[in-house]
Amino acid sequence: MLLISAELSGQSTDSIVIKQVDSLILISRKLLSKNEHENALQIIGEAEKISLKYLGRKSIAYAKCCNNHARIVSRKAEYIEAEKWALESKLILEEILGKHDTEYALAVNNLGILYLEKGEFERAEPFLLEAKNIREINLGKNHRDYSQSLNNLGILYQDMGIYEKAEPLFIEALKLKEKNLEKDPLSYAKGLNNLAVLYLLLGKYENAEPYFIQTIDIRSKALGKVHIDYANGLANLALLYLKLGNFEKAEQLFIECKSIIEKTLGKAHPNYAEILNNLSVLYIEIANSEKVEAFLPEARDIWEKFLGKEHPLYASCLNNLGRFYWDSGDTVKAEVLFMESLSIKEKLLGKEHPDYAETLANLVQMKSDSWSYKKVESAYIETNSIWEKTLGKNSLEYLGNQFNLAQFYEKNKQFSKSEPLLADLINQDQKKLAKGITFLSERELLKYVSTFEKRMNSINYFLLTRHLNQEKTGILNNLCFDNALFYKGFILSSASQLNSMTKISPEAEEINLRLKAYRRRLAIEYAKPFLNRKNVNELEEMENRTEKELSIRIAGYRKIFENVSWTMIQTALKKDEICIEFISFPTPDLIKSKENQYGAILLRSDSKQTLCIPLFEEKSLDSLLHSKSERKADYVNGLYTLSDRGAIAVENPKKSLYEILWKPIEKNLDGIKTIYFSPSGLLHRLNLDAIPVSETETLADRYNLIELNSTRQLVIPTQIKNVNNEAVLYGGIQFEQDSIVQNNEPLIASRSRGELSFSSVDSTLRGGSWNYLAGTEREVNSIEKIMETSGLKVNLKKGYAATEESFKNLGANNNSSPRILHIATHGYFFPDTKNNSQESQVKNQNENVFTISDHPMLRSGLIMAGGNATWQGKQTLEGREDGILTAYEISQMNLSNTELVVLSACETGLGDIQGNEGVYGLQRAFKIAGAKYLIMSLWQVPDKQTSLLMTTFYKKWLENKMTIPDAFHAAQKELRNIGLDPYQWAGFVLVK
């Protein structure tokens, strides 16, 4: 269980007492606000002596001293002592003033707070209600004290799990506090925090985050950054990020909070135990068992000492310890802890509380294989009933438990029971994610999506398991297809859509301009060695906030992901067309080893539902893609030639690409001519057109294969406005800064447009030069003639004119981007080989950032004029771009009017493959920028043959009036027919 810091409100009175006593009470409160507990106790002790000596025990002054004494020792978590002093204050005031005085109301309010802090909710409620009623009668509903009573009652009902009572109380209290914002900003911040906490519990994350951030800002200015209230704000924001799967950001905030609590309250305080508990929940999620084992027992011991074993916080700690031992494989210890936690929660909170449901859910999931069927089913249903009543059916807790119940039914082959649950679960998950794009930045969204993808992967596994066991799949095929439609390229589509919708209003356009400005500044800093970067964290935070502001501003943004189903795709298909969504996912038992399963879900125009076909385990394909052949040409030719089928997996029979990938599918392709497909996993690194089916035939000879990021594009196509007939060509680029600069680095010979051959330089990848590619100049000169003959207006960028600046000006300042963009140059892609980002930054502070960056969109790019200087670590010319055009920079451009981008360079189709988001690299960058078709390369393509392929393609497209896909396939076939091997013609792929 996560523990959230709501904030209660005690208060003072303005009753006239002896000035000396009043002054001492005021001093003690100031000391308490600074967490100087012992000094505060000493001062209040002096006030008590004066009151007793001059006014006696039955005096208002002494009662006030007792009340403040209770507050001080309560902050020290000495609750038994605090209760004694609070009861003394109440009894005195009741006798002197009666039960209708505001001073008496203060005493019962603080007594109610004390019982609330002790977890004794039934004892707390009557006191808090009594205080509220007295204040309403005597002070009215606009008084500060009344608003604080509303606040305290809201916290009580929140802790009791009665959220429908808590929300209106918090909202009313906040409105009252807002009226006095200038006079009392800290009271307003408290109201913001408590309403945000409720929204966090209810899963209304888009409402919670701005309130938490506003709370922290107010407290930072009023109290400084070494104060317990500021720390509580950080902790609550961290809990939100933990729910959103943003573990790195949550950890940073938790650690900062922990440091503040250590300085202010010490390590023996219940607040310190709370932060240890929450850090442990985070470390359980990221499997950092060492820190969990250190933190949780310490938290448990602190709570046991101060609160005893009969307290909800102690029970929650036991629950989390149970999770830890369960994850560690010690189910015996886990069961004991779960049972003890469940017993305490039942006694204190009752069996209708969400905290009780949490522990019951953990226990039943752990025992699902050993308890009887009926007992497990009953426990799951009971748990969901509690969460539905308290948190709602769209809460993460309810959905997680619903999935566990569905998984239980799947194991027991109760498919008629599991399928309705899975259908509802998929619908709810998609709604939550579609909502997420309206308030999360791209980075945050990527982390949030990952928490849902785990369930999606498991559902895919259910489907393949049924097929392999020859069991009925019911509607599961269709559900998995719909899931693929939704998740594949989810963030890519949202980023592209956000980029294209910014002109809806002047306000949105202005925010977008600010966002682009932050990203341009970040791109400059990212290009520097780590030691030379300035203000990156601040810029990233501003970029994050601005992107979120933009997504909130644009109405209708989330609609692009709603209501896209397999039936809609089927309607868009012709009789001779088929749609294939390839899927890949880790199996539940092998997630830690990263072993993936592959399958294909097919949809024909004439079928009643989709069809799932299990394909292979990733190691089968991996063995082919990671051949030990020293020569790239030998490896590629082996992969795409029947006579030599490449490397074989250990202990597996030798199989070709056709046998493992296509043969299982082919029997379902009768009468099919056009195949729309969306790859997954390692399939992104294959050219399906080139897969041989016989000695003389490839798949491209049999089918018209059209690659899509997602087959969702068939019903939500890329919108291109052909407002011009212009083409911009880059080629024959000079990679030195200018003709005068002497090159002291070795010029590395190359006949391809790929990565540098670093065998002759140091292993840090910092040396070497990008050599001039004579073939690219001939290529663009030839293409220019073809285009001009076809009526296009051509802008040729060669030599030193092919600058990064000229490229970034395309589509800038509200100008239309060219219809065609052709770039013939060196391309680069460096895979992420680091274990973790902190380690890489420590070890490689001065390395070439383009080779070691933690950002995948920086490790992929194109080399423009003058790029060698930056690549070699030299100073670039002042006021000039560095000549390294990264994918990150391209993604910030506006190419929404560009029909075709041709990347006539090496490995431009490669990048980091990240789950359902596909390839993070140049492909993604140009898609976000708005281009419709992309032609990219999968390996280091030979220069001469590349030029031949490109000129052939343009002739067929522009002169012969073929479509772009037909012209591309025909060009590759022509090169194959003249006797070129796959290495020389199959390196390029077309993606729509």
Side-chain angles (χ1 to χ4, degrees):
M1 174 190 173
L2 291 166
L3 304 171
I4 304 174
S5 298
E7 291 157 6
L8 298 150
S9 302
Q11 54 192 255
S12 63
T13 69
D14 295 323
S15 301
I16 299 175
V17 293
I18 298 174
K19 288 185 179 181
Q20 189 177 5
V21 173
D22 193 47
S23 176
L24 289 171
I25 289 174
L26 184 60
I27 292 170
S28 74
R29 287 180 178 175
K30 287 182 178 179
L31 291 169
L32 180 61
S33 71
K34 297 177 182 179
N35 298 308
E36 297 181 23
H37 301 138
E38 297 307 320
N39 291 336
L41 277 174
Q42 184 178 349
I43 296 297
I44 203 67
E46 291 297 321
E48 290 162 15
K49 290 177 184 178
I50 293 171
S51 299
L52 287 171
K53 181 176 181 180
Y54 294 103
L55 299 172
R57 177 181 172 277
K58 293 185 179 181
S59 66
I60 294 174
Y62 180 69
K64 288 177 66 178
C65 290
C66 293
N67 183 48
N68 282 278
H69 196 131
R71 290 175 65 188
I72 297 168
V73 291
S74 175
R75 284 283 290 272
K76 293 178 67 181
E78 297 174 0
Y79 296 121
I80 295 175
E81 183 74 2
E83 183 179 14
K84 182 188 78 172
W85 286 100
L87 285 169
E88 178 80 350
S89 176
K90 173 185 175 293
L91 290 171
I92 293 170
L93 292 170
E94 184 178 349
E95 186 175 346
I96 297 173
L97 302 173
K99 288 188 173 185
H100 301 289
D101 189 86
T102 54
E103 195 69 45
Y104 171 79
L106 170 64
V108 294
N109 174 75
N110 289 347
L111 190 58
I113 290 173
L114 177 63
Y115 289 131
L116 178 51
E117 288 175 339
K118 291 178 68 179
E120 299 176 9
F121 304 138
E122 303 302 327
R123 296 182 71 183
E125 185 177 21
F127 287 121
L128 294 177
L129 283 170
E130 186 180 4
K132 170 184 169 289
N133 293 334
I134 295 169
R135 287 167 170 171
E136 183 178 351
I137 292 170
N138 289 317
L139 303 174
K141 289 188 173 183
N142 291 322
H143 197 275
R144 177 176 181 271
D145 291 357
Y146 176 76
S147 73
Q148 290 181 334
S149 272
L150 295 175
N151 176 75
N152 294 338
L153 271 168
I155 293 172
L156 170 69
Y157 293 131
Q158 176 181 284
D159 288 355
M160 293 176 74
I162 311 173
Y163 300 134
E164 62 273 16
K165 278 190 175 183
E167 185 174 14
L169 291 168
F170 283 144
I171 290 173
E172 185 182 354
L174 187 62
K175 287 179 180 177
L176 293 173
K177 292 173 186 291
E178 190 173 10
K179 294 178 181 179
N180 296 307
L181 176 58
E182 291 185 7
K183 294 180 181 178
D184 194 357
L186 289 176
S187 178
Y188 180 69
K190 191 174 292 184
L192 285 171
N193 176 80
N194 290 333
L195 188 55
V197 165
L198 179 65
Y199 287 142
L200 173 57
L201 290 169
L202 291 171
K204 297 180 179 180
Y205 304 137
E206 70 281 9
N207 295 335
E209 186 183 32
Y211 284 175
F212 279 141
I213 290 173
Q214 195 176 350
T215 299
I216 292 169
D217 288 344
I218 293 172
R219 290 175 176 174
S220 175
K221 293 172 184 175
L223 303 171
K225 294 188 175 182
V226 187
H227 193 282
I228 186 61
D229 290 347
Y230 175 76
N232 285 340
L234 294 179
N236 288 337
L237 185 59
L239 292 170
L240 171 65
Y241 291 138
L242 180 53
K243 287 280 189 182
L244 293 170
N246 196 340
F247 301 131
E248 183 179 352
K249 206 165 185 178
E251 184 182 22
Q252 291 171 357
L253 292 171
F254 276 142
I255 290 173
E256 184 181 353
C257 176
K258 178 173 173 284
S259 175
I260 296 169
I261 293 174
E262 284 182 28
K263 292 175 184 176
T264 55
L265 302 178
K267 290 186 175 183
H269 195 278
N271 284 31
Y272 185 72
E274 186 174 323
I275 199 65
L276 291 180
N277 176 83
N278 289 340
L279 266 169
S280 297
V281 173
L282 166 67
Y283 291 133
I284 287 172
E285 291 293 331
I286 62 176
N288 189 334
S289 58
E290 185 177 336
K291 289 189 176 180
V292 177
E293 204 162 11
F295 287 168
L296 266 182
E298 185 179 356
R300 177 197 58 196
D301 293 345
I302 294 170
W303 274 326
E304 183 177 354
K305 177 182 178 182
F306 285 97
L307 307 176
K309 291 186 176 182
E310 298 288 304
H311 194 281
L313 295 179
Y314 180 79
S316 295
C317 194
L318 295 182
N319 173 76
N320 293 335
L321 268 172
R323 278 190 61 196
F324 166 69
Y325 285 119
W326 175 22
D327 290 344
S328 302
D330 193 340
T331 55
V332 175
K333 273 187 180 179
E335 183 174 2
V336 171
L337 290 163
F338 284 146
M339 292 300 294
E340 185 180 356
S341 174
L342 200 64
S343 175
I344 296 169
K345 288 179 176 180
E346 182 180 353
K347 181 179 179 181
L348 298 177
L349 306 173
K351 297 178 76 172
E352 294 297 318
H353 196 279
D355 288 0
Y356 174 85
E358 179 188 32
T359 302
L360 179 59
N362 285 334
L363 182 62
V364 66
Q365 190 180 1
M366 187 181 74
K367 302 294 291 182
S368 62
D369 291 331
S370 55
W371 284 358
S372 70
Y373 177 91
K374 286 188 177 180
K375 186 175 181 180
V376 172
E377 182 181 40
S378 175
Y380 273 132
I381 292 172
E382 178 188 357
T383 305
N384 253 12
S385 174
I386 298 168
W387 271 326
E388 183 179 353
K389 291 176 184 175
T390 55
L391 301 181
K393 294 183 73 172
N394 66 343
S395 67
L396 291 178
E397 290 80 3
Y398 178 89
L399 295 175
N401 193 69
Q402 182 169 329
F403 170 75
N404 291 335
L405 177 56
Q407 186 175 40
F408 171 72
Y409 286 142
E410 283 286 324
K411 286 181 180 178
N412 287 277
K413 304 188 186 306
Q414 298 291 308
F415 302 138
S416 61
K417 289 185 175 181
S418 66
E419 285 179 1
L421 294 178
L422 291 174
D424 182 58
L425 179 70
I426 287 170
N427 181 49
Q428 292 293 342
D429 277 357
Q430 290 182 5
K431 283 183 178 179
K432 292 185 82 68
L433 276 171
K435 194 173 186 178
I437 70 171
T438 65
F439 69 94
L440 294 174
S441 69
E442 182 180 347
R443 295 180 191 181
E444 293 171 332
L445 199 56
L446 179 62
K447 292 165 183 174
Y448 191 38
V449 167
S450 66
T451 63
F452 293 88
E453 282 185 334
K454 294 175 183 176
R455 278 205 285 264
M456 190 200 75
N457 290 336
S458 293
I459 294 170
N460 285 336
Y461 178 72
F462 298 159
L463 178 61
L464 259 64
T465 299
R466 288 201 208 174
H467 270 281
L468 292 171
N469 293 336
Q470 297 183 335
E471 295 162 342
K472 291 183 179 180
T473 58
I475 63 170
L476 205 53
N477 286 342
N478 302 335
L479 293 177
C480 289
F481 191 91
D482 287 349
N483 248 346
L485 290 176
F486 182 86
Y487 281 94
K488 272 194 182 179
F490 175 81
I491 299 169
L492 168 62
S493 296
S494 68
S496 179
Q497 190 74 3
L498 187 63
N499 204 26
S500 66
M501 295 180 73
T502 53
K503 296 186 183 299
I504 287 178
S505 69
E507 294 81 8
E509 191 167 0
E510 174 60 30
I511 297 169
N512 191 46
L513 288 174
R514 279 195 281 122
L515 178 62
K516 300 280 187 186
Y518 286 129
R519 287 175 171 170
R520 280 194 294 271
R521 291 167 63 186
L522 273 171
I524 293 169
E525 295 303 319
Y526 285 148
K528 298 175 182 177
F530 291 106
L531 288 175
N532 298 339
R533 293 179 180 179
K534 295 179 181 178
N535 304 320
V536 169
N537 290 338
E538 292 83 353
L539 284 171
E540 287 179 338
E541 181 59 29
M542 293 307 298
E543 177 212 20
N544 213 48
R545 288 193 182 191
T546 308
E547 185 183 349
K548 290 161 74 166
E549 183 184 354
L550 181 61
S551 63
I552 292 169
R553 175 78 61 175
I554 296 178
Y557 177 33
R558 61 184 286 189
K559 291 182 180 179
I560 57 171
F561 294 102
E562 295 179 351
N563 303 319
V564 179
S565 67
W566 70 275
T567 54
M568 294 174 64
I569 304 296
Q570 188 177 49
T571 303
L573 294 174
K574 298 176 182 177
K575 287 185 178 181
D576 61 351
E577 295 179 341
I578 195 170
C579 180
I580 302 177
E581 280 287 352
F582 288 102
I583 56 175
S584 64
F585 53 91
T587 61
D589 296 329
L590 298 173
I591 288 175
K592 291 182 180 178
S593 68
K594 306 296 182 184
E595 182 62 54
N596 282 4
Q597 301 283 334
Y598 282 74
I601 309 180
L602 281 61
L603 175 62
R604 294 179 61 116
S605 62
D606 56 356
S607 58
K608 293 183 179 180
Q609 65 171 22
T610 59
L611 173 65
C612 176
I613 300 174
L615 293 175
F616 52 84
E617 290 185 348
E618 185 160 283
K619 59 186 177 183
S620 301
L621 182 57
D622 200 47
S623 66
L624 291 171
L625 292 179
H626 292 82
S627 167
K628 295 181 180 179
S629 173
E630 293 183 4
R631 294 180 67 245
K632 177 75 76 170
D634 293 340
Y635 149 66
V636 171
N637 292 332
L639 193 63
Y640 293 102
T641 305
L642 284 177
S643 57
D644 177 9
R645 298 177 181 175
I648 60 171
V650 177
E651 298 179 357
N652 276 335
K654 188 176 183 180
K655 287 187 176 181
S656 67
L657 275 178
Y658 171 75
E659 288 172 310
I660 68 168
L661 174 61
W662 202 256
K663 191 175 180 180
I665 296 173
E666 199 158 43
K667 62 183 178 181
N668 299 287
L669 302 179
D670 289 343
I672 296 298
K673 292 181 180 179
T674 299
I675 298 174
Y676 299 98
F677 72 95
S678 173
S680 181
L682 292 179
L683 299 184
H684 285 285
R685 294 179 180 165
L686 295 177
N687 182 348
L688 266 62
D689 278 347
I691 295 177
V693 293
S694 70
E695 295 296 332
T696 59
E697 246 188 335
T698 69
L699 289 182
D701 294 319
R702 292 189 180 180
Y703 310 104
N704 177 24
L705 291 157
I706 300 176
E707 181 176 343
L708 305 170
N709 290 305
S710 165
T711 57
R712 180 175 61 239
Q713 292 169 239
L714 292 175
V715 293
I716 306 179
T718 305
Q719 299 296 325
I720 297 292
K721 297 177 182 178
N722 289 325
V723 296
N724 61 59
N725 204 26
E726 298 174 358
V728 179
L729 313 181
Y730 285 84
I733 299 174
Q734 293 290 347
F735 301 112
E736 299 302 335
Q737 284 189 339
D738 58 52
S739 58
I740 301 173
V741 175
Q742 295 295 315
N743 177 28
N744 297 319
E745 295 288 342
L747 190 65
I748 300 168
S750 173
R751 286 173 294 175
S752 69
R753 304 178 188 183
E755 294 178 25
L756 292 167
S757 172
F758 287 104
S759 58
S760 61
V761 293
D762 63 80
S763 61
T764 63
L765 307 181
R766 296 195 64 208
S769 297
W770 296 105
N771 60 295
Y772 178 75
L773 293 167
T776 63
E777 184 170 9
R778 293 191 296 270
E779 178 181 321
V780 293
N781 286 340
S782 299
I783 294 171
E784 180 186 26
K785 293 177 183 177
I786 298 170
M787 289 182 170
E788 287 180 340
T789 303
S790 301
L792 273 78
K793 181 182 177 182
V794 182
N795 186 353
L796 191 56
K797 300 286 188 182
K798 297 194 296 185
Y800 300 111
T803 62
E804 185 178 354
E805 287 92 339
S806 69
F807 191 91
K808 288 182 177 178
N809 283 331
L810 300 175
N813 301 321
N814 294 321
N815 292 319
S816 298
S817 60
R819 179 188 174 194
I820 303 168
L821 182 55
H822 184 103
I823 311 157
T825 184
H826 285 292
Y828 71 89
F829 162 65
F830 291 91
D832 187 5
T833 58
K834 299 178 286 293
N835 293 325
N836 63 70
S837 59
Q838 291 182 345
E839 178 184 341
S840 69
Q841 291 190 22
V842 171
K843 289 183 177 181
N844 301 293
Q845 293 287 336
N846 294 304
E847 298 299 338
N848 185 328
V849 295
F850 304 108
T851 66
I852 62 166
S853 175
D854 299 315
H855 200 310
M857 301 283 273
L858 295 180
R859 285 184 273 105
S860 181
L862 301 168
I863 309 300
M864 309 303 286
N868 268 337
T870 299
W871 199 269
Q872 295 160 1
K874 296 177 182 178
Q875 185 68 35
T876 56
L877 295 175
E878 188 175 352
R880 295 278 297 275
E881 296 280 0
D882 57 22
I884 312 295
L885 183 63
T886 65
Y888 177 82
E889 292 172 304
I890 294 168
S891 69
Q892 309 310 314
M893 296 177 64
N894 177 15
L895 300 176
S896 56
N897 294 311
T898 301
E899 184 178 6
L900 173 67
V901 174
V902 178
L903 301 179
S904 186
C906 281
E907 302 188 337
T908 50
L910 300 185
D912 286 352
I913 298 173
Q914 298 190 11
N916 286 292
E917 278 306 300
V919 179
Y920 268 72
L922 288 165
Q923 174 184 165
R924 184 180 189 84
F926 280 103
K927 278 295 180 183
I928 291 174
K932 183 175 183 179
Y933 283 103
L934 295 172
I935 293 178
M936 308 166 300
S937 61
L938 298 175
W939 55 76
Q940 297 174 25
V941 290
D943 195 25
K944 181 179 178 181
Q945 286 79 5
T946 295
S947 296
L948 178 59
L949 174 67
M950 294 305 165
T951 53
T952 305
F953 160 70
Y954 281 113
K955 286 179 181 179
K956 293 183 181 298
W957 176 34
L958 298 175
E959 295 180 357
N960 299 344
K961 306 301 181 183
M962 290 184 173
T963 64
I964 289 176
D966 287 346
F968 179 74
H969 296 144
Q972 286 196 325
K973 185 175 182 180
E974 186 168 313
L975 266 64
R976 178 163 59 93
N977 289 342
I978 64 174
L980 298 183
D981 59 43
Y983 174 69
Q984 296 172 310
W985 64 266
F988 283 92
V989 292
L990 173 70
V991 178
K992 183 177 180 180

